[in-house]
Amino acid sequence: MSKQYSTQRDIEKNKSIPKQKEKPNCNILSKHFKKIYPIGIHRSCSSPLSLSSLSLSLSQNSIDSSFTADSSTPLDQKILSALRLIAPPERREVPATKIIRQPSASPIEEGGIRRCNWITSNSEKVYVQFHDECWGVPVYDDNQLFELLALSGMLMDFNWTEILKRRELLRESFAGFDPNNVSKMGEKEILEIASNKELTLAESRVRCIVDNAKCVTKIVREFGSFSSFMWDYVSYKPMINRFRYPRNVPLRSPKAEAMSKDLLKHGFRLVGPVIVYSFMQACGMTIDHLVDCFRYRECVNLAERPWRHV
């Protein structure tokens, strides 16, 4: 009876003893390592990995110093091999080179003069002079207006700089842009101008200028002057704009479109809205100098004077 009692007591004692906590799964670390490094880690907890022995620095020097030849276990050797594979190459110090910046194009010239932004340090002298003396100045002379209309039509083939370089030669070829003389040019004179290699002006363009001169003479007979006919589109007063940036300056305007349609009805050629607006800018019918350009206020003062002021 006593023996049976002691056996039962031992059983109850064993039940009352709390079970020892299961050892943590040592494969947790290996599980994460498998996600990062392409190596196999054995399921063994006999030699746990310490943080001091597994430095995860990405520099080659720190890897070599953390894992020395003393690491003899296969696990450490595999980790060392994997870390060396993913470590970036050793950085080499490159001597700093001096960056030479090219001078940016600026509208500010010598003497602190500020011009429109499309006039830069690389602009040709003839173009800068045209901007400073002619562009935006109101023009009321018939011959000058006809000249600027003809030059604006050449923008189909050239830019302003190329046109202005040929300006004197064009004046000689087209008799000073006198509409009466140009309208009387015959076939021989047209072909002679078209064959001039210095002008490089197509024959069709020469014929357009001659035809436009004939239209000007008709308008003079009907309206008294070409100047009065053209300035009537803007009510004999230049349009003053206040543009601050080049992107604000339009290529055409409602006034230019209306003028273009009317000129086409009168037989003019090469007078699309864009060409007509360029003509209006050049002859001062519209003031498109930027507000911070030194010519803006000067052209505005001229525009605010009475009609036909010279």
Side-chain angles (χ1 to χ4, degrees), residues 130-146:
F130 178 67
H131 168 273
D132 292 352
E133 299 176 4
C134 304
W135 199 73
V137 175
V139 176
Y140 305 105
D141 181 74
D142 283 6
N143 292 7
Q144 293 180 13
L145 287 172
F146 173 61

Side-chain angles (χ1 to χ4, degrees), residues 28 53 77 98 116 127 132-133 142 147 151 164 170 176 192 195 198 207 218 258 281 287:
I28 295 177
S53 63
Q77 291 177 1
K98 185 178 180 180
C116 295
Y127 185 48
D132 292 352
E133 299 176 4
D142 283 6
E147 176 184 358
L151 297 181
L164 294 171
L170 287 167
E192 183 179 350
S195 61
E198 295 183 21
R207 294 186 183 278
K218 292 179 182 179
Q281 291 174 320
I287 308 301

Side-chain angles (χ1 to χ4, degrees), residues 49-61:
L49 302 176
S50 62
L51 294 177
S52 60
S53 63
L54 291 180
S55 175
L56 299 181
S57 173
L58 293 181
S59 64
Q60 184 69 30
N61 294 334

Side-chain angles (χ1 to χ4, degrees), residues 12-61:
E12 292 178 357
K13 185 178 180 180
N14 292 335
K15 289 182 179 181
S16 62
I17 296 175
K19 292 183 179 180
Q20 293 182 356
K21 294 183 178 179
E22 295 182 0
K23 292 183 179 180
N25 189 359
C26 59
N27 291 329
I28 295 177
L29 183 60
S30 63
K31 179 181 179 182
H32 292 290
F33 269 91
K34 284 184 178 180
K35 291 182 179 179
I36 301 175
Y37 308 112
I39 60 176
I41 299 182
H42 300 286
R43 296 183 179 180
S44 174
C45 297
S46 57
S47 58
L49 302 176
S50 62
L51 294 177
S52 60
S53 63
L54 291 180
S55 175
L56 299 181
S57 173
L58 293 181
S59 64
Q60 184 69 30
N61 294 334

Side-chain angles (χ1 to χ4, degrees), residues 10-296:
D10 292 339
I11 294 173
E12 292 178 357
K13 185 178 180 180
N14 292 335
K15 289 182 179 181
S16 62
I17 296 175
K19 292 183 179 180
Q20 293 182 356
K21 294 183 178 179
E22 295 182 0
K23 292 183 179 180
N25 189 359
C26 59
N27 291 329
I28 295 177
L29 183 60
S30 63
K31 179 181 179 182
H32 292 290
F33 269 91
K34 284 184 178 180
K35 291 182 179 179
I36 301 175
Y37 308 112
I39 60 176
I41 299 182
H42 300 286
R43 296 183 179 180
S44 174
C45 297
S46 57
S47 58
L49 302 176
S50 62
L51 294 177
S52 60
S53 63
L54 291 180
S55 175
L56 299 181
S57 173
L58 293 181
S59 64
Q60 184 69 30
N61 294 334
S62 62
I63 292 173
D64 293 340
S65 63
S66 298
F67 297 92
T68 60
D70 296 334
S71 300
S72 58
T73 62
L75 177 61
D76 291 342
Q77 291 177 1
K78 290 182 179 181
I79 295 176
L80 176 60
S81 302
L83 291 176
R84 282 178 175 173
L85 288 174
I86 67 172
E90 183 178 359
R91 292 184 178 181
R92 296 181 180 179
E93 293 185 359
V94 180
T97 57
K98 185 178 180 180
I99 299 175
I100 301 176
R101 295 185 178 180
Q102 297 293 335
S104 58
S106 172
I108 300 178
E109 302 291 336
E110 293 80 2
I113 298 176
R114 180 176 289 275
R115 295 178 171 88
C116 295
N117 286 27
W118 50 85
I119 301 295
T120 68
S121 57
N122 299 325
S123 298
E124 300 268 354
K125 184 178 179 180
V126 65
Y127 185 48
V128 177
Q129 184 179 4
F130 178 67
H131 168 273
D132 292 352
E133 299 176 4
C134 304
W135 199 73
V137 175
V139 176
Y140 305 105
D141 181 74
D142 283 6
N143 292 7
Q144 293 180 13
L145 287 172
F146 173 61
E147 176 184 358
L148 290 174
L149 184 62
L151 297 181
S152 298
M154 295 179 191
L155 290 172
M156 293 285 293
D157 305 312
F158 311 102
N159 57 40
W160 271 118
T161 301
E162 296 170 338
I163 294 171
L164 294 171
K165 286 180 178 179
R166 300 171 171 85
R167 191 172 189 177
E168 291 302 323
L169 188 57
L170 287 167
R171 285 174 174 173
E172 294 177 6
S173 302
F174 289 100
F177 286 100
D178 184 342
N180 294 319
N181 295 332
V182 176
S183 62
K184 297 175 183 178
M185 286 185 174
E187 192 70 18
K188 180 181 177 180
E189 294 167 305
I190 292 174
L191 294 177
E192 183 179 350
I193 296 173
S195 61
N196 192 327
K197 294 183 179 180
E198 295 183 21
L199 287 177
T200 62
L201 199 61
E203 181 182 339
S204 59
R205 305 304 189 203
V206 178
R207 294 186 183 278
C208 284
I209 295 175
V210 174
D211 292 342
N212 287 348
K214 295 177 182 179
C215 296
V216 171
T217 57
K218 292 179 182 179
I219 287 175
V220 171
R221 289 194 297 265
E222 184 176 354
F223 296 93
S225 71
F226 185 55
S227 177
S228 299
F229 175 79
M230 298 301 285
W231 277 95
D232 184 51
Y233 288 104
V234 292
S235 302
Y236 305 96
K237 187 176 181 180
M239 297 180 294
I240 301 173
N241 297 314
R242 294 186 59 85
F243 298 130
R244 187 169 297 275
Y245 305 104
R247 63 176 179 270
N248 301 137
V249 182
L251 293 176
R252 56 201 292 173
S253 69
K255 289 283 186 181
E257 292 175 358
M259 187 185 299
S260 173
K261 291 180 180 179
D262 200 21
L263 289 174
L264 289 172
K265 290 180 181 179
H266 283 82
F268 284 85
R269 300 167 63 185
L270 284 180
V271 286
V274 176
I275 290 177
V276 169
Y277 192 74
S278 297
F279 162 77
M280 295 174 66
Q281 291 174 320
C283 71
M285 288 186 179
T286 176
I287 308 301
D288 280 356
H289 283 283
L290 302 183
V291 292
D292 57 354
C293 175
F294 84 101
R295 285 294 290 167
Y296 177 78

